[in-house]
């Protein structure tokens, strides 16, 4: 880190530095609560985690702190810290305090629920995803107030930290609608995405959406011996394979009807930015399950394939005999689990329609097809890179990181589009973690100095926003 | 049945009728021994079954009866009954005395190991496959001797009844080679195939062969989250589906290189015979696992598709997540179990080579392919329909059944080609069971009057053969 914390040009940095030790101590305490939302045995821990966060906010002086335990959802935390000026913009910071399971626990080098500081790294489940980033915002608010030497922030800051994100936010729509007045704001700051790399800080401007469904082909009512009937009746496993093979053309493009009709391509500026990001194909492959080679849609780089291009993936395929050795049957049934990653402005419901049409066209005579959707899907989301709020976040990050900040996106999916839709305001991304933080895996960690930079960026953002959003 | 058993034109029929009650009583006794060769818990029963057969042969006066317990195989029974003329032809009857398991046992209407006579039907595991047909030959020999009023048959009759057929005859090659002198003969009569139908008796002239292998595609060392890498790395499940889809063209022909190069098409006479056989598509589909429609190679009837055309079948396909719901991964591995039914003169080893070539051509960059063969495969076998031995069997069957006998084949696989190869003589088929005897399934039965007709045909055949093979 460079820059003098006592330098009056950097009051937010000085304040962050002053609070840094307390910040780490507090975060370690929060990480010790195993708030695994996907495991009913840990639902009480999710509630404890919510109470811990509420208490921390009250200690920090937030006047309005609530734990929302209704709406069918695991406890969420809401808080509001009003600006002095009642006409100041209102921002809502979104994050989550539930965490992934820790299996296989024997692969952890440190206890997953202690918070172990090793040099600059803090190890523990949730350190990066997403308690670390929520804590970063608490620190950012404290630093903002300290830098202002005021009791009230420049913008009204609301915090909404849900407890079901790792479960796919199944009750989020109801939660948002039940609290529509509390959550009213001018801008959502979504805090659950990483920087591109430590030496290449970026502002995320979008996440892909998701639509998943299982397709089942059924032939007869029972498997039949292939000596008796092989070659004379339809084979559902062959048919499901032919359906899957037809999903992509030879250029790797998805062949669902109208699949690309709503796709908005990235701007030249975004593509240019992506092209300048440091990229090591070997590292990418190693971090992608040890893949042996790249693949994908022709005409796009690896990062573009994952960030701005939609895909169709086979998540699982199953039909007939799966045991050891050979069993000479014609199976009666075969199924494939498909998921589609979507980009703006694709819509899950239109993809569902296109899949139905595609399956109908690829169901051979003598087989029945069934499509079992996995929920309604998650819409994609992206912000225009020249939006004033995006520019403000970028400026805040560049000041905190003291270097140019480029654009990025993430290939995964989250509730940003849902927040946009239900609350009715733009959503910008602000995150300071790293793609190799091993979220959802053993040995999750966060790089503490990056969180401190992120807190500084948030503190700067609150100062910038009244002017930028006017 | 028509015809007067006392009519001197039908001495074999008269003799069969005289022995019929004893025949059923003996067969019921044999069926009470649960000689399930695939189940090690029943291997002692397989040995008991062999001893039972040996004792029955000795009671019938066969002078040379042996139980072969070596060669690594479950016990087989060998017997020889020499002709009076040392220069008479030598025939070897092949059958098996091991039986399939009886699961699900609760679906049996009668005890599987008692032998329950209900009208003309005898119910029990092995009644049709294959104890009933072996017993039919014991009866045929007795009827032949009675009709001749002699102690020695017209041909030297050898019997070879193995105990591992339902296990795929894994030690048969060694067994044959260890007893090559005992088994020397001029003709093998293979007795493990059915008539086409009760009102349409046929002579089987061939069985399909089999080659099976599992193809495995491996990408990375671990599944990877599709949000992180989906669209940028190869998906083994998609690739295995594309391989399977490429296996057949749109006319249902198999696209392995050179797959049809060695195929001998049936003669016009055979196809004409097949076309006159009674065929009910609805019954066929009901008996084929309740399939909803026919399918297969264009230009061939259903019977031809199963009898005289080679196929490629997916017996199982598996990759990625197979549990409930959705898991958004790119799998690291996917596999397909394939089997190919073969017709003369296709050879399993050439199909293995063609599959290797095909897999190589369909392995995308970034994936590793492995082929795991399931044994060496079973070669196909067929006899020319105008061979003198085939004509003799046909004549014997027509005399016994008192109607024209047409040609048929079976779609399954057996050791006929192996017998042909190791013993070095032609193999003809003689069977009197039915395709709907529910072999390998609950409620296996045999139609006793058909076995009696079959015994008469065998008895007639032994009388005909010296002249026809000269
Ligand atoms: Zn998260
Ligand atoms: Zn059999």
């Amino acid at each position: 880190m460079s820059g003098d914390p006592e330098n009056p040009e950097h009051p937010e940095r000085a304040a962050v530095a002053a609070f840094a030790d307390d910040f780490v101590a507090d975060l370690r305490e929060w990480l010790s609560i195993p708030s695994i939302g996907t495991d009913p045995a840990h639902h009480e821990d999710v509630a404890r985690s919510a109470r811990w966060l509420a208490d921390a906010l009250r200690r920090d002086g937030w006047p309005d702190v609530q734990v929302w335990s209704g709406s069918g959802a695991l406890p969420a935390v809401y808080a509001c810290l009003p600006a002095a000026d009642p006409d100041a913009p209102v921002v809502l910071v979104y994050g989550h305090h539930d965490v992934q399971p820790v299996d296989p626990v024997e692969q952890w080098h440190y206890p997953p629920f202690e918070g172990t500081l090793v040099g600059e790294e803090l190890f523990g489940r949730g350190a990066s995803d997403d308690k670390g980033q929520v804590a970063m915002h608490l620190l950012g608010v404290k630093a903002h107030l300290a830098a202002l030497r005021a009791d009230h922030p420049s913008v009204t800051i609301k915090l909404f930290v849900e407890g079901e994100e790792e479960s796919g936010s199944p009750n989020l729509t109801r939660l948002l609608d039940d609290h529509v007045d509390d959550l009213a704001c001018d801008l959502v700051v979504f805090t659950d995405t990483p920087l591109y790399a430590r030496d290449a800080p970026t502002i995320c401007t979008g996440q892909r959406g998701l639509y998943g469904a299982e397709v089942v082909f059924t032939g007869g009512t029972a498997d039949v011996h292939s000596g008796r009937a092989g070659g004379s009746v339809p084979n559902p496993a062959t048919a499901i394979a032919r359906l899957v093979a037809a999903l992509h053309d030879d250029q790797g493009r998805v062949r669902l009807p109208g699949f690309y009709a709503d796709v908005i391509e990235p701007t030249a500026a975004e593509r240019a930015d992506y092209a300048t990001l440091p990229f090591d194909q070997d590292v990418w492959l190693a971090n992608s399950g040890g893949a042996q080679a790249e693949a994908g849609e022709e005409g796009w780089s690896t990062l573009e394939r994952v960030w701005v291009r939609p895909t169709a993936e086979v998540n699982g395929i199953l039909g007939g005999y799966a045991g050891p050795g050979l069993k000479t049957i014609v199976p009666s049934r075969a199924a494939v689990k498909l998921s589609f990653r979507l980009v703006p402005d694709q819509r899950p419901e239109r993809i569902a329609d296109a899949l139905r049409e595609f399956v109908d066209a690829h169901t051979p005579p003598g087989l029945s097809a069934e499509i079992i959707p996995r929920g309604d899907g998650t819409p994609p989301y992206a912000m225009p890179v020249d939006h004033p709020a995006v520019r403000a976040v970028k400026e805040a990050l560049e000041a905190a990181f003291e270097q140019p900040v480029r654009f990025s996106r993430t290939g995964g999916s989250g509730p940003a589009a849902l927040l946009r839709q239900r609350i009715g305001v733009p959503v910008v991304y602000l995150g300071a973690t790293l793609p190799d933080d091993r979220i959802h895996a053993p040995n999750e960690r966060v790089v503490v100095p990056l969180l401190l930079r992120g807190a500084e960026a948030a503190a700067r953002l609150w100062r910038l926003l009244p002017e930028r959003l006017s």
Side-chain angles (χ1 to χ4, degrees), chain A:
Chain A
M1 252 190 224
S2 66
D4 174 3
E6 296 303 317
N7 185 329
E9 275 186 70
H10 296 293
E12 287 88 0
R13 185 169 307 163
V16 164
F19 294 126
D21 289 347
D22 286 349
F23 166 76
V24 171
D26 287 351
L27 178 54
R28 289 187 57 195
E29 201 177 280
W30 199 13
L31 294 180
S32 73
I33 303 172
S35 51
I36 305 170
T38 55
D39 183 352
H42 285 284
H43 283 182
E44 174 50 31
D45 292 318
V46 177
R48 275 176 59 213
S49 167
R51 289 196 299 271
W52 184 93
L53 175 58
D55 290 344
L57 287 161
R58 290 187 189 107
R59 278 198 305 275
D60 283 355
W62 291 59
D64 178 14
V65 180
Q66 305 173 24
V67 174
W68 291 343
S69 299
S71 310
L74 291 172
V77 176
Y78 167 82
C80 179
L81 182 64
D85 176 0
D87 295 327
V90 179
V91 297
L92 175 72
V93 173
Y94 166 87
H96 64 92
H97 69 98
D98 59 313
V99 301
Q100 282 277 324
V102 294
D103 300 321
V105 70
E106 66 276 9
Q107 292 184 15
W108 285 77
H109 302 139
Y110 306 100
F113 293 111
E114 280 191 12
T116 306
L117 189 66
V118 181
E120 294 184 329
E121 295 176 290
L122 180 60
F123 288 85
R125 175 57 85 226
S128 175
D129 179 23
D130 190 30
K131 285 174 175 168
Q133 303 221 80
V134 172
M136 173 186 89
H137 273 290
L138 270 61
L139 175 59
V141 169
K142 285 167 75 174
H144 171 60
L145 295 175
L148 282 185
R149 301 177 195 272
D151 293 332
H152 291 276
S154 308
V155 290
T156 291
I157 302 175
K158 296 178 174 181
L159 190 70
F160 172 60
V161 182
E162 69 154 319
E164 295 193 328
E165 199 277 344
E166 301 296 0
S167 308
S169 306
N171 302 292
L172 184 56
T173 301
R174 199 168 336 136
L175 197 57
L176 296 176
D177 292 351
D178 287 351
H179 298 281
V180 64
D181 293 336
D182 291 319
L183 297 168
C185 62
D186 300 301
L187 180 71
V188 171
V189 175
F190 190 102
T191 297
D192 194 21
T193 58
L195 305 168
Y196 178 71
R198 187 162 185 175
D199 59 353
T202 50
I203 171 171
C204 176
T205 65
Q207 288 174 290
R208 291 194 293 188
L210 181 67
Y211 176 73
E214 184 165 357
V215 181
V216 184
F217 278 164
T218 305
T221 50
D223 299 343
V224 59
H225 188 254
S226 71
R228 171 177 174 84
S232 76
V233 293
N235 186 318
T238 303
I240 212 91
R242 292 176 80 91
L243 175 109
V244 169
L247 261 183
H248 295 89
D249 68 16
D250 289 341
Q251 284 72 48
R253 286 173 63 88
V254 179
R255 293 178 64 233
L256 290 201
F259 189 72
Y260 295 93
D262 297 325
V263 168
I264 298 174
E265 299 205 350
T267 63
E270 285 173 284
R271 293 193 75 178
D273 248 25
Y274 303 159
T276 65
L277 288 169
F279 182 80
D280 183 321
Q281 185 75 35
D282 291 339
V283 172
W284 176 270
L285 293 175
N287 288 337
S288 298
Q292 302 171 39
E294 62 178 328
E297 187 185 352
E298 284 183 15
W300 301 89
S301 71
T302 295
L303 292 178
E304 289 167 343
R305 285 166 173 169
V306 172
W307 288 350
V308 298
R309 297 303 294 171
T311 70
E313 289 290 349
V314 176
N315 307 124
I317 188 166
L318 180 69
Y321 178 68
L326 187 68
K327 193 170 172 188
T328 50
I329 54 164
V330 179
S332 60
R333 182 183 185 281
V336 63
K337 292 172 192 280
L338 299 173
S339 63
F340 301 87
R341 294 281 172 181
L342 310 179
V343 301
D345 275 338
Q346 290 180 302
R347 299 208 313 265
E349 61 274 21
R350 292 193 64 166
I351 303 305
D353 290 344
L355 179 63
R356 160 62 61 192
E357 194 180 323
F358 181 81
V359 170
D360 284 349
H362 289 86
T363 305
L367 296 182
S368 311
E370 185 185 8
I371 300 177
I372 306 165
R374 299 300 173 193
D376 294 333
T378 304
Y381 188 74
M383 276 295 279
V385 295
D386 55 359
H387 188 281
V390 173
R391 292 217 301 260
V393 175
K394 190 163 182 273
E395 184 180 332
L397 285 167
E398 287 180 333
F401 283 88
E402 295 182 294
Q403 59 182 294
V405 165
R406 286 168 282 189
F407 295 112
S408 67
R409 296 201 196 178
T410 72
S413 305
L418 182 64
L419 296 169
R420 170 78 182 83
Q421 184 204 34
R422 307 313 282 195
I423 302 178
V425 300
V427 176
V428 292
Y429 296 86
L430 172 56
T433 57
L434 291 175
D436 53 356
D437 279 347
R438 292 180 294 275
I439 68 169
H440 299 205
N443 302 307
E444 179 177 349
R445 63 91 200 246
V446 75
V447 178
V448 173
L450 294 181
L451 287 188
L452 301 181
R453 296 279 187 176
E456 179 186 336
R460 290 175 181 270
L461 179 65
W462 308 145
R463 178 159 54 81
L464 289 172
L465 272 184
E467 178 196 340
R468 299 308 170 84
L469 292 185
S470 64

